[in-house]
Amino acid sequence: MMSKMATRDAYGQTLVRLGEREPRVVVLDADLAKSTKTIDFAKSFPQRFFDMGIAEQNLICTAAGLALAGKIPFASTFAVFATGRAFEQIRNSVAYPRANVKIAATHAGLTVGEDGASHQSVEDIAIMRSLPGMTVLVPADARETELMVEAAAAHKGPVYIRLGRSGVPQLFDMEYQFAMGKSPVLREGDDAAIFACGIMVAEALTAARQLAEAGLEVTVVNVSSIKPMDEKTIIEAARQAGAVVTAEEHSVVGGLGSAVAELLARHYPVPVEMVGVQDTFGESGSPSDLLQKYGLTAHHIARGVERVVLRKKTISGNR
Amino acid sequence: MDETKLRELQERALAVRRDIVEMIALAGSGHPGGSLSGVEIACALYFHAMRIRPAEPDWPERDRFVLSKGHAAPLLYAVLAQAGYFPREELKGLRRIDRMLQGHPDAKGTPGVEVSTGSLGQGIAVANGIALAGKLDGRDYRVYVLVGDGELQEGLVWEAAMAAAHYRLDNVTVFVDYNGFQIDGRIQDVMNPDPVPDKWRAFGWHVLEIDGHDFPQILSAIDTARSVQGKPTAVIARTVKGKGISFMENQVGWHGVAPKPDELERALVELAGWQPA
Ligand SMILES: Cc1ncc(C[n+]2csc(CCOP(=O)(O)OP(=O)(O)O)c2C)c(N)n1
């Protein structure tokens, strides 16, 4: 059993290290510092931490002002509130003026668990990636989170980082590299390509192992940089395999699956199956029960691969 | 205050009013009413109170002005052009494709525009961020904000009001352009924000009430705000929407329409003979 760590915990720890190295980093929260883990930074650098209270629009606009005056603000709250309540502030005060604000939102996806649908953001990727100039990142594990937070701080411009509440397996070691606009290929095979992000990367790798036992070889790509997207890698993998499965802990409307489908429709159309939340809200339950019920497991990805491989064969049979 | 200075400011105000109506008429659209009500406040700031270097718009020590009521962009543009941030010729490109002056202020494309606005309610919160950074960096610049009275209906205004007092942002001064009107009518009829001074006081601000067209009162409010410690200052400035052009004054219909050629002519004739009270 691989050891587990939540991406929000990795975020909290990285912020502290970043704070030591980079005096321009400031952190804002909206009364959720204990949950988003910005509390670690708040304790280490009280002067550079601002709790804005339960006021998410205020959180975003104040961060914008700090950025305009040369700071590197990280603004955190739950993904539902960051991208929902404060959407228009993000659009007009951050994205449009290209303010150097990093929105690191936690509690994304169904793995929020028992708090239920009001707190389970399954649309934030769709919302954020619709904004011109917004970088959208989804780490697959703690190590990638660390690299991502550092890359976000070094990048000039708005960044959205999507973080989770629950522990995820540690997939990557110290050799692992992250770069915006790059999607590492974690495994290669010619039968199908799986494009996954976040917690679904680990599920995709498990699915790939299971499929290999059954004689299907699949490529697994970690699309942690949803925007900018590594178009070259994704098109090439789709071309090699001729069949694609996308996997995300997010609605299939507007998320990773949509982004991949948009790209492939323009450049290299192949059959695509989308594993994700099927245009519905979540509910209360344990994270693992929810992932099971809403079809977000290695098993569901493997079935998706089988379906898409069949579709590929039917298409080539018809040619 | 000294007579020469007063006369100079009044002349500036007149020229700014002229530029406002001319540029909106030429553009064929825009917001004259709320641009004209803020003229004296903006002129007092840019031509007297603020520490600025128009030739060096990114000078880190500069005072900042945030036009939270971004639809009054023509006011900001007229003042910035007169202050020398860009040539007055640019005013003719207002709202035109491929030109610099956007319908609402765009900070990344326009020298002197500090914050992109247009969506009401956000300016004070952004100003707070700039002010917090100033405190962190030990810089003594001040941040001025102009908000509309209708704009006070936005919830974010009060989130930001609470935050500025909480963080003791005495480097923030908010001017409320209290002209009594918004788009759908009188503010009291649409959604009454009164009593406005009491609200700001209750949120922990130092509050001043002035005539927003009277330069000595505006300058003295700015001085007072500078001396207030540990609290932000709200200046509730009574103004007249459409001020200076008789047929626009207190006419809700002049919120967001451009004068036609004959109306522009009448406006300019009036301004030419205008003697400020
Ligand atoms: C968030 C938002 N909602 C609506 C508008 C449309 N709008 C533009 S101006 C205006 C009225 C503003 O009234 P007030 O703040 O009193 O400004 P003034 O009368 O000084 O022009 C409205 C509703 C907007 N720009 N932003």
Side-chain angles (χ1 to χ4, degrees):
Chain A
M1 186 71 207
M2 272 182 279
S3 69
K4 285 189 166 191
M5 184 179 191
T7 51
R8 62 172 167 151
D9 286 307
Y11 167 57
Q13 294 172 13
T14 309
L15 271 187
V16 175
R17 278 198 300 280
L18 201 58
E20 278 157 12
R21 206 180 62 228
E22 173 51 88
R24 288 176 300 167
V25 166
V26 296
V27 177
L28 302 88
D29 206 297
D31 200 34
L32 288 168
K34 293 193 194 91
S35 300
T36 63
K37 303 298 173 188
T38 61
I39 187 83
D40 304 340
F41 185 95
K43 284 185 181 147
S44 306
F45 309 100
Q47 303 299 319
R48 288 195 269 150
F49 175 79
F50 305 103
D51 201 320
M52 302 316 297
I54 313 160
E56 295 74 18
Q57 305 170 45
N58 196 31
L59 170 85
I60 294 299
C61 284
T62 309
L66 282 155
L68 292 177
K71 300 294 172 195
I72 305 174
F74 279 77
S76 288
T77 177
F78 292 174
V80 169
F81 311 135
T83 65
R85 176 69 60 95
F87 170 70
E88 200 257 346
Q89 282 71 25
I90 296 175
R91 182 193 186 277
N92 279 324
S93 286
V94 176
Y96 174 46
R98 285 191 224 113
N100 195 22
V101 174
K102 318 304 166 187
I103 301 160
T106 67
H107 294 62
L110 296 181
T111 49
V112 163
E114 292 76 0
D115 272 353
S118 63
H119 284 54
Q120 294 162 347
S121 174
V122 293
E123 56 284 308
D124 52 307
I125 296 176
I127 295 170
M128 288 295 103
R129 84 181 181 88
S130 71
L131 292 173
M134 179 64 73
T135 295
V136 180
L137 307 177
V138 185
D141 80 343
R143 173 68 184 145
E144 189 167 46
T145 304
E146 183 183 333
L147 296 169
M148 213 171 246
V149 170
E150 282 168 3
H155 172 80
K156 209 166 156 42
V159 179
Y160 177 71
I161 306 180
R162 180 183 212 240
L163 303 164
R165 167 173 179 259
S166 305
V168 288
Q170 312 247 37
L171 299 177
F172 306 125
D173 59 18
M174 296 310 282
E175 307 297 302
Y176 184 79
Q177 301 281 322
F178 167 81
M180 288 176 189
K182 287 273 172 271
S183 282
V185 177
L186 306 180
R187 188 182 168 118
E188 286 184 83
D190 285 340
D191 292 315
I194 306 173
F195 300 117
C197 68
I199 62 164
M200 298 308 284
V201 175
E203 299 297 321
L205 288 169
T206 305
R209 281 191 296 274
Q210 292 169 357
L211 289 163
E213 284 167 23
L216 281 177
E217 289 300 333
V218 298
T219 291
V220 176
V221 182
N222 176 17
V223 190
S224 50
S225 179
I226 295 203
K227 190 177 176 179
M229 191 165 250
D230 187 347
E231 303 193 345
K232 200 160 152 268
T233 298
I234 289 169
I235 293 166
E236 191 44 42
R239 194 194 307 274
Q240 284 286 323
V244 162
V245 173
T246 61
E248 62 198 306
E249 189 197 5
H250 182 278
S251 173
V252 293
V253 179
L256 169 66
S258 296
V260 167
E262 287 161 16
L263 177 71
L264 295 180
R266 271 185 304 218
H267 297 281
Y268 196 84
V270 295
V272 177
E273 290 286 323
M274 292 186 194
V275 172
V277 179
Q278 301 297 320
D279 198 16
T280 180
F281 291 106
E283 66 186 284
S284 289
S286 74
S288 59
D289 285 350
L290 288 166
L291 295 178
Q292 195 61 47
K293 175 165 177 179
Y294 288 85
L296 306 180
T297 66
H299 170 81
H300 295 95
I301 296 173
R303 298 298 80 74
V305 167
E306 288 163 4
R307 282 195 306 275
V308 86
V309 167
L310 208 62
R311 286 174 62 195
K312 172 169 77 166
K313 287 192 179 132
T314 315
I315 293 168
S316 60
N318 289 345
R319 277 202 182 128
Chain B
M1 75 182 287
D2 129 29
E3 270 304 309
T4 348
K5 185 79 217 174
L6 179 62
R7 216 163 315 118
E8 187 197 314
L9 285 172
Q10 284 168 342
E11 251 145 54
R12 288 283 195 186
L14 201 55
V16 165
R17 283 203 163 83
R18 219 179 286 125
D19 281 349
I20 289 171
V21 286
E22 272 182 329
M23 86 176 95
I24 295 175
L26 194 61
S29 67
H31 298 81
S35 295
L36 291 165
S37 60
V39 168
E40 280 77 13
I41 295 166
C43 286
L45 288 168
Y46 275 93
F47 303 120
H48 184 73
M50 290 205 308
R51 191 170 59 181
I52 49 174
R53 288 183 185 166
E56 196 190 337
D58 295 331
W59 179 43
E61 303 292 340
R62 71 194 183 280
D63 289 340
R64 273 81 162 168
F65 175 73
V66 180
L67 182 68
S68 190
K69 40 173 279 187
H71 59 280
L75 165 61
L76 180 60
Y77 298 157
V79 168
L80 291 177
Q82 292 223 10
Y85 285 91
F86 49 78
R88 272 186 67 226
E89 268 302 297
E90 281 296 335
L91 301 181
K92 295 186 180 148
L94 174 69
R95 291 178 166 242
R96 289 190 197 285
I97 190 110
D98 290 335
R99 298 297 298 266
M100 180 174 77
L101 297 181
Q102 298 297 297
H104 293 81
D106 172 19
K108 61 181 190 297
T110 315
V113 173
E114 295 287 351
V115 175
S116 299
T117 52
S119 169
L120 292 167
Q122 307 190 20
I124 303 174
V126 178
N128 287 345
I130 300 173
L132 280 169
K135 296 251 177 205
L136 278 177
D137 292 342
R139 297 190 196 278
D140 66 352
Y141 61 72
R142 303 191 57 77
V143 191
Y144 297 95
V145 191
L146 185 63
V147 299
D149 48 4
E151 187 179 2
L152 300 181
Q153 293 154 358
E154 281 286 352
L156 175 52
V157 166
W158 302 103
E159 295 181 14
M162 209 183 302
H166 180 81
Y167 285 107
R168 303 177 198 287
L169 297 179
D170 50 17
N171 47 355
V172 170
T173 304
V174 167
F175 282 89
V176 178
D177 186 353
Y178 198 132
N179 59 32
F181 290 93
Q182 56 193 110
I183 295 181
D184 284 348
R186 286 185 187 278
I187 57 169
Q188 283 82 3
D189 296 335
V190 177
M191 182 52 65
N192 190 358
D194 289 340
V196 170
D198 289 354
K199 285 200 171 68
W200 289 93
R201 234 173 261 127
F203 274 77
W205 289 55
H206 187 75
V207 175
L208 301 168
E209 294 179 63
I210 64 164
D211 173 345
H213 298 303
D214 184 288
F215 277 115
Q217 288 189 39
I218 300 168
L219 297 184
S220 128
I222 295 170
D223 282 344
T224 307
R226 270 202 199 105
S227 67
V228 172
Q229 303 228 322
K231 275 182 175 200
T233 295
V235 182
I236 318 303
R238 294 273 168 183
T239 56
V240 174
K241 198 156 176 171
K243 174 77 175 177
I245 295 161
S246 62
F247 58 91
M248 291 186 181
E249 287 190 359
N250 293 316
Q251 294 303 311
V252 75
W254 281 103
H255 170 83
V257 289
K260 295 185 192 64
D262 59 311
E263 291 165 330
L264 173 64
E265 202 172 314
R266 272 164 63 205
L268 292 177
V269 168
E270 274 193 27
L271 288 175
W274 198 49
Q275 290 302 324

